[in-house]
Amino acid sequence: MANYDVIIIGAGPGGYVAAIRCAQLGLKVACVEGRDTLGGTCLNVGCIPSKAMLHASHMLHEAEHNFAKMGLKGKSPSVDFKQMLAYKDETVTGNTKGIEFLFKKNKVDWIKGWASIPAAGKVKVGDETHEAKNIIIASGSEPSSIPGVEIDEKTVVSSTGALELPKVPKKMVVIGAGVIGLELGSVYKRLGSEVQVIEFMDKVTPGMDGEVQKQFQKMLTKQGLEFIMGAAVQSVETGKTKAKVTYKLRKDDSEATVDADVVLVATGRRPYVDGLGLEALGVEMTERGQIKTDAHWATNVKGIYAIGDVITGPMLAHKAEDEGMACAEVIAGKHGHVNYGVIPGVIYTHPEVASVGATEEQLKDEGRAYKVGKFPFMGNARAKAVFAGDGFVKLLADKDTDRVLGCHIIGPGAGDLIHEICVAMEFGASAQDVALTCHAHPTFSEAVREAALACGDGAIHV
C-alpha cells in the first residue's frame, strides 16, 4: 500500500496522458490498469490495430487497381490473413511497450489489476487499498449493442472481435454506418468480403456535414459496399456457421432477412464504469450513464475527477488526452483548459474524412450568417497524380468577420490537412489569413488554401 497525490483509474489515452502530465508537474502518481498491456481500448483493440488493417488493405487495393497504371507490372499479391494479423499485433505491441517505457521514464507506478473506490481518497486493487489525495476516473468505454442482438465475438462481433477473425468472411453485415462500421467494413471489402451496411438513419455518419455524408456514401458504394438505409435491425439469429439478420424498413414497416458469415455490431459505445462503486459513493451520473462533471472535470464527490469516454462529449482518444492534461493541471493548481469547439474528427477510410467546428446545418439552425468556400481535389495536381482526385475541402466562415467557423474535408490526407484549420481556429484566424499563407506546391494542402480563397474572390484552379 502506498500514498499518492493522484491515482488514475485506466491507462487508455486519457489515463496514461494524465498520469504522465501529473508526474511532469511534480506529483506522485500511480495508474491502475487491469489489462496485461497499457494503452486501453485505443491502442490494444481500437484505433491503432484498425489503422494497421486499414493501411494493409489499402496497399492491397493499390496493388490491384493502380500499380499497373503506373507501370508496376506483375501478379497481384495474395492475402496471407494470418500474417496481416501478426503485423497488426506487432504494431500494437510496439505502441503499448512505448507507454511502459514512458511510465518508467516519468516515475509513474503501474498498479496492475481492476480498481474500485471504496471511499473518497481510497482506491482498492485486489486485496490492497491505496490512498490518494485525488482520483481521476479514466476507465473508458465498451461496445454497446441493440435489443435482440447478442455479441459472442465469433459470429456476431464488436470492433474487438472484428480485429481477431480467424479468416476473411465471404459475407459481412455491418449494423451501423458510423465511423467504426465504415472503417472496418471497408477493410473487409478490400480483402474480398461482400459487405452490407444496415443503418437506422437515412444518412451515413450521423452529425457530419450533409454534403460530406452524400459524397462519402457515393464513394463507398462505388468501392463496393452496399447500404440499406432507414432500417431498424430487429434480431440476429446465429447458427453453427452463419447468422440471419432481420431488419424492418422505417418507411413502410416491411421486414426482410439477410444472411451473413459475420455480423459486425457497430452501434456505438457506452461508458465503462462497472465495479468502480460509484453508486455507493454517491457520484452523480447523467441519464446516459456518463459521470457528471463540472468545468474542471470534478465530480460532486470532493477529490474525484473524471475524463474521457466516461463523461459527456465525443468519444475520441484525442479529446480524452486533452482532458487528461487539463485535469492534471487543475489538480496541480494551474489552469487546465480544453477548447471543445476545436476538436477534430477523422474517419480513416480511403479517402479519409475529417471535420472540425460547425457544420453548415448547425450554422443554419443557429441563424448565423456565413459563407462557404469549396474546392474539389480534382483541381489539385498532387491529388490527381496519385489517383486521389475525388472529394473536396469545404470551409465555413462568418459572413461579416470572415472568421473560420468550421471545415469539412473528404479526400487524400484529410486527417492531417484538417489540423491547419484547427490551428487557425485556435488563433481566431480568418479565411483570408489561410488564403494569404503560402502553401508548398504540389501538396494536398493547397486544396485547403484554395477553399479559403473561395471564401473571398474565388479559387484559382477551378
Side-chain angles (χ1 to χ4, degrees):
M1 192 178 96
N3 295 329
Y4 293 94
D5 293 313
V6 187
I7 292 180
I8 293 121
I9 298 172
Y16 83 73
V17 167
I20 291 169
R21 187 66 187 129
C22 282
Q24 288 176 338
L25 293 167
L27 302 170
K28 186 180 180 185
V29 60
C31 189
V32 183
E33 176 55 59
R35 289 180 193 268
D36 293 332
T37 50
L38 300 170
T41 293
C42 180
L43 267 68
N44 287 279
V45 292
C47 321
I48 301 305
S50 65
K51 299 313 157 284
M53 296 290 280
L54 281 157
H55 175 68
S57 62
H58 178 57
M59 291 297 99
L60 175 67
H61 173 85
E62 288 292 281
E64 289 175 339
H65 297 276
N66 290 330
F67 275 17
K69 295 176 188 175
M70 296 183 284
L72 303 173
K73 302 289 180 74
K75 189 179 174 184
S76 287
S78 59
V79 176
D80 182 339
F81 194 57
K82 190 177 177 183
Q83 178 58 37
M84 191 179 287
L85 293 178
Y87 149 70
K88 179 259 300 178
D89 292 340
E90 190 179 330
T91 305
V92 169
T93 300
N95 280 278
T96 56
K97 290 289 182 190
I99 298 173
E100 279 190 52
F101 165 76
L102 291 172
F103 271 17
K104 286 173 185 170
K105 177 187 171 186
N106 289 281
K107 296 181 174 58
V108 174
D109 290 344
W110 174 9
I111 302 173
K112 298 184 182 183
W114 301 102
S116 63
I117 310 171
K122 296 184 185 301
V123 175
K124 189 178 181 184
V125 183
D127 295 327
E128 291 190 333
T129 300
H130 305 269
E131 294 193 4
K133 293 173 190 170
N134 302 280
I135 297 166
I136 301 176
I137 300 169
S139 47
S141 59
E142 62 181 350
S144 62
S145 189
I146 53 177
V149 180
E150 191 174 330
I151 295 171
D152 60 19
E153 298 297 16
K154 291 176 183 174
T155 306
V156 184
V157 300
S158 68
S159 55
T160 302
L163 292 165
E164 296 291 345
L165 294 176
K167 62 181 180 180
V168 177
K170 285 184 180 176
K171 181 171 181 182
M172 173 181 275
V173 167
V174 179
I175 303 174
V179 176
I180 294 169
L182 297 181
E183 285 187 356
L184 291 174
S186 68
V187 165
Y188 282 101
K189 178 59 196 170
R190 290 177 200 152
L191 295 178
S193 298
E194 179 189 343
V195 178
Q196 204 167 36
V197 182
I198 302 174
E199 168 58 42
F200 181 78
M201 305 299 285
D202 296 319
K203 295 177 181 176
V204 300
T205 56
M208 274 207 158
D209 178 84
E211 279 188 274
V212 170
Q213 288 174 321
K214 287 178 189 172
Q215 183 83 346
F216 191 27
Q217 188 175 341
K218 275 185 192 173
M219 288 180 176
L220 293 174
T221 301
K222 193 176 174 184
Q223 290 173 21
L225 274 74
E226 183 187 342
F227 290 91
I228 301 169
M229 306 301 289
V233 171
Q234 304 298 299
S235 64
V236 177
E237 295 173 31
T238 55
K240 285 184 181 177
T241 56
K242 287 186 181 284
K244 260 189 204 314
V245 182
T246 302
Y247 64 87
K248 187 183 281 188
L249 290 176
R250 287 167 47 221
K251 64 181 178 184
D252 58 12
D253 270 351
S254 61
E255 207 165 81
T257 301
V258 293
D259 292 328
D261 299 294
V262 171
V263 177
L264 167 59
V265 181
T267 50
R269 299 179 66 84
R270 62 185 174 215
Y272 182 72
V273 294
D274 295 359
L276 290 177
L278 301 186
E279 192 177 344
L281 275 169
V283 172
E284 282 185 30
M285 309 291 284
T286 70
E287 290 177 0
R288 298 181 62 188
Q290 300 154 318
I291 297 172
K292 198 180 278 189
T293 57
D294 65 13
H296 302 291
W297 306 279
T299 70
N300 63 306
V301 178
K302 189 171 173 56
I304 299 179
Y305 299 80
I307 60 169
D309 287 4
V310 294
I311 68 171
T312 56
M315 289 184 171
L316 297 170
H318 44 283
K319 177 252 196 190
E321 289 182 354
D322 266 27
E323 288 172 342
M325 287 193 287
C327 187
E329 302 218 349
V330 167
I331 289 170
K334 297 180 180 292
H335 298 284
H337 173 69
V338 175
N339 183 353
Y340 287 102
V342 186
I343 294 181
V346 183
I347 305 174
Y348 297 91
T349 46
H350 189 82
E352 289 183 350
V353 179
S355 62
V356 68
T359 64
E360 197 168 352
E361 291 75 17
Q362 287 170 337
L363 293 175
K364 282 177 182 173
D365 288 344
E366 290 172 17
R368 186 160 187 176
Y370 67 93
K371 52 188 173 179
V372 182
K374 272 182 70 178
F375 186 79
F377 277 100
M378 195 51 75
N380 179 270
R382 177 75 182 277
K384 283 194 288 189
V386 296
F387 312 108
D390 289 336
F392 57 84
V393 179
K394 179 179 182 178
L395 194 68
L396 302 170
D398 186 277
K399 190 174 183 181
D400 299 318
T401 66
D402 197 39
R403 185 169 182 158
V404 176
L405 303 175
C407 185
H408 308 277
I409 306 174
I410 179 166
D416 292 304
L417 296 181
I418 199 69
H419 295 98
E420 172 178 0
I421 301 303
C422 292
V423 172
M425 289 177 69
E426 193 65 45
F427 280 86
S430 66
Q432 188 181 45
D433 289 326
V434 178
L436 291 175
T437 302
C438 186
H439 287 60
H441 175 78
T443 60
F444 300 140
S445 67
E446 288 176 286
V448 179
R449 184 188 194 185
E450 292 272 11
L453 283 164
C455 280
D457 294 332
I460 300 296
H461 291 93
V462 69

